[in-house]
Amino acid sequence: MSDISASTPRIGVIGLGAMGMGTATALLEQGMTVTGCDVSPSVRRAFEHAGGQCAATPAELAAHCDIVLLVVVNADQVEQVLFGDQGLVGHLAEGSVVLQCATVAPSIARRLGERLAKAGIEMLDSPISGGAAKARAGQLSVMASGAPATFDKAAAALDGMAATVYRLGDEVGIGSSMKLVNQLLAGVHIATAAEAMALGIRMGLDPDTVYEVITHSAGNSWMFENRVPHILKGDYTPLSAVDIFVKDLNIVHDTGRELAMPTPVAASALQQFTAAKGAGFGREDDSSVIKVYERLSGIVLPEPANDDEV
C-alpha cells in the first residue's frame, strides 16, 4: 500500500492545459515533486523547462506519483486516462489518491469512484474553479467530496493548489453536483453579459462607457467584469473556450433531465454557445459568444488594437 507523506508528496498532473500547467507549476514552485503528463510533446517540454519532470503516458506517470490530479477536458478523457490501454489503473499503487478535477456529471463521478475503489485507489471528487491566473497562483477554489481519510492524504496537494477547499461531504458526486451549479451560473452570466453588451452597442452606446457604468451598478457580475474587457479589446484568445460551455451546459441539461427538473435559463444560454460553436468560434474565448449578435444584428464590435499605430 502507498505511504503518502504529507511533507513530501509525489504529485502527478495529467492535462497540462491552461489550468493544469498553472496548477502543476504552482505546486512545483512550492517545493513539491511534480510529474506532468500531456498528449503534446511541446507542452511536456515546456513543463520540463520550468523544472518539472514529465511522463509520456498516465501509466508511466503512475510509477512516480502517490497523488494524481486529472485536469482534462471531459468524461471521455477521464475514462481514457484512468482505464485506457496506457491508463493509471493497473499501474498506480494501491492506496494512491486520484483528484478528479474535470467537470463531469455527478452520476459519472459516482461510477468513477466505485470503479477506482475496486482497484484499491481512493478518489476525491474535486472540480476546480478560478481560471488560469488563479491556477498559476495556486489560488483555485476546489469543490470536493470524498472520505475524510482521503482528504488527509491529499492535504498537501490541496493546500498547494487552492485558496479555498470546500469539503462538501463524504460521498463522491457531491463535488461534481456543486460544480454544475457553478457552471450553470457562469455560463448564463457570460451569455447574458454578451447580450447586454450587444444591446448597448446596438442602441448606439459607447462600449467602454457601458462597461464603466455597469461595473459600478447593480447589474454587474463577476463574469461581466472579467469577460467584457476581452470584447472591448477585440481579443478572443481562448482563456476559457466556447466549447467548454457547450460541454458543461449540456451536462447541466442532461442532469436536469435525469432529475425531471427544467433548466430553461441554462438551456437558453446553451443555445447561444451552440450557435457560437456552429459559427466557427468554438475554440475562441467564451466571450466570443457576442459574435452571434454581430451576425444576427449587424452590430460593430471593437477591433483589436493596431500595434503599428503610434
Side-chain angles (χ1 to χ4, degrees):
M1 180 173 290
S2 176
D3 179 18
I4 301 176
S5 168
S7 59
T8 57
R10 302 184 305 157
I11 301 172
V13 180
I14 300 180
L16 297 174
M19 298 282 277
M21 180 68 84
T23 296
T25 306
L27 292 169
L28 189 68
E29 289 180 350
Q30 294 175 56
M32 301 185 197
T33 301
V34 184
T35 303
C37 180
D38 195 275
V39 294
S40 169
S42 63
V43 169
R44 296 198 300 269
R45 286 193 296 271
F47 185 58
E48 288 172 340
H49 182 72
Q53 59 189 27
C54 277
T57 67
E60 181 184 333
L61 175 141
H64 305 283
C65 302
D66 310 298
I67 302 168
V68 182
L69 281 62
L70 308 188
V71 196
V72 295
V73 172
N74 55 35
D76 288 342
Q77 291 186 5
V78 173
E79 177 73 21
Q80 189 64 27
V81 163
L82 289 175
F83 303 104
D85 291 341
Q86 293 295 314
L88 290 171
V89 174
H91 298 90
L92 200 60
E94 183 179 351
S96 297
V97 175
V98 167
L99 275 65
Q100 203 304 96
C101 301
T103 302
V104 302
S107 56
I108 290 176
R110 288 190 289 270
R111 288 196 294 272
L112 288 171
E114 292 168 359
R115 293 165 70 189
L116 287 173
K118 290 179 180 178
I121 298 169
E122 300 176 35
M123 174 177 148
L124 283 185
D125 180 20
S126 47
I128 54 180
S129 182
K134 288 190 176 182
R136 180 64 183 83
Q139 295 291 304
L140 292 169
S141 293
V142 182
M143 308 166 209
S145 62
T150 307
F151 271 103
D152 291 342
K153 285 187 175 184
L158 291 168
D159 289 345
M161 66 190 284
T164 308
V165 177
Y166 294 99
R167 295 181 61 155
L168 301 171
D170 296 351
E171 300 296 327
V172 166
I174 301 172
S176 287
S177 296
M178 184 62 72
K179 182 62 185 294
L180 279 197
V181 174
N182 183 78
Q183 293 309 90
L184 185 158
L185 288 167
V188 167
H189 287 170
I190 293 168
T192 303
E195 184 171 302
M197 287 301 299
L199 177 63
I201 293 168
R202 183 68 179 82
M203 293 189 299
L205 297 175
D206 173 67
D208 290 288
T209 301
V210 173
Y211 179 75
E212 174 67 18
V213 172
I214 294 302
T215 54
H216 292 86
S217 303
N220 192 32
S221 69
W222 190 93
M223 282 299 187
F224 185 96
E225 193 162 344
N226 183 266
R227 295 306 203 267
V228 171
H230 305 180
I231 297 168
L232 299 178
K233 294 174 184 176
D235 183 0
Y236 299 97
T237 304
L239 300 178
S240 174
V242 164
D243 281 343
I244 295 295
F245 279 99
V246 173
K247 171 184 72 75
D248 289 357
L249 289 174
N250 262 305
I251 297 173
V252 170
H253 174 77
D254 290 344
T255 301
R257 185 172 56 186
E258 288 176 12
L259 299 171
M261 177 182 165
T263 53
V265 179
S268 180
L270 172 58
Q271 289 303 308
Q272 291 302 104
F273 284 107
T274 302
K277 178 180 176 68
F281 308 130
R283 295 190 177 183
E284 294 189 12
D285 189 77
D286 50 34
S287 59
S288 68
V289 71
I290 196 172
K291 294 182 180 180
V292 174
Y293 298 97
E294 182 181 39
R295 293 201 171 186
L296 293 176
S297 302
I299 61 172
V300 178
L301 295 175
E303 295 286 342
N306 187 344
D307 293 334
D308 295 331
E309 293 180 357
V310 177

